[in-house]
Amino acid sequence: TAQRPIAFEVSSGGASGPRKLLQGRKKSAQPDADPEYITAHLAALGGPDEKFVEFFTPIPEGSELTVMDSGDGPSTGYAAALETAYDAASAGVSVPKAGLLVYCGGMAIAVGDQLNDGLLSPSYQQRLGNMPMMGMTCFGEQTCTPQSNTNVQRNLSVGMVLFE
C-alpha cells in the first residue's frame, strides 16, 4: 500500500464518521486548506466466502476511502518526505547537533533498496551535512494532524527529531 496508499479525509463523513475525531478540537486556522487525510495500511482482505477489508488504522464508520498516488516516492526512497521531515523538525532549532529519523516500516519494505537513494539524495545530505543521524523503522506511527489538531495513528509517514 505504500505505492497506492489508502486514506480517509479527517473532516469527511456523517455524525458517526471521521468528524467524531474532531469533537472538542479547535477548527483549522486555514478554512480553505486542502483536505487532511489519514493514510492506512491494508491488513487483510477477505476471500471469496468472506467479504471484508481490515486496516492497521481505525477507520470510523461512514468514512469514504480514497486510493492515493505516491508519485515517485517509492522509486526515490521518499527523498522529498525525508527533506520535508528535516525542514519541519528544524523549525525553531538554531543549530542541530544530532537527529533521530523515524521511517515507516511498511514504506521501508516497499522501497527496498531505494531506501538508500532517499537517504543519500543530494538535497537531504545537504541538509544533514556532517550531523549524526540515527534512523529506525517502526509500525504504528502516531502524529498530530496540523489542520484539525487531532492525534491519530498515521501509517506511511516519516518523522524526525533534531537535538541542539
Side-chain angles (χ1 to χ4, degrees), residues 41 103-106 109 137-141 153 155:
H41 273 300
Y103 198 97
C104 169
I109 292 167
T137 58
C138 68
F139 295 90
E141 307 88 304
Q153 178 173 336
N155 302 141

Side-chain angles (χ1 to χ4, degrees), residues 37-52:
Y37 290 91
I38 296 174
T39 51
H41 273 300
L42 181 64
L45 283 173
D49 298 329
E50 295 183 46
K51 307 288 185 204
F52 69 90

Side-chain angles (χ1 to χ4, degrees), residues 44-66:
L45 283 173
D49 298 329
E50 295 183 46
K51 307 288 185 204
F52 69 90
V53 177
E54 290 183 9
F55 294 92
F56 288 110
T57 301
I59 298 179
E61 187 176 333
S63 299
E64 180 176 317
L65 299 179
T66 301

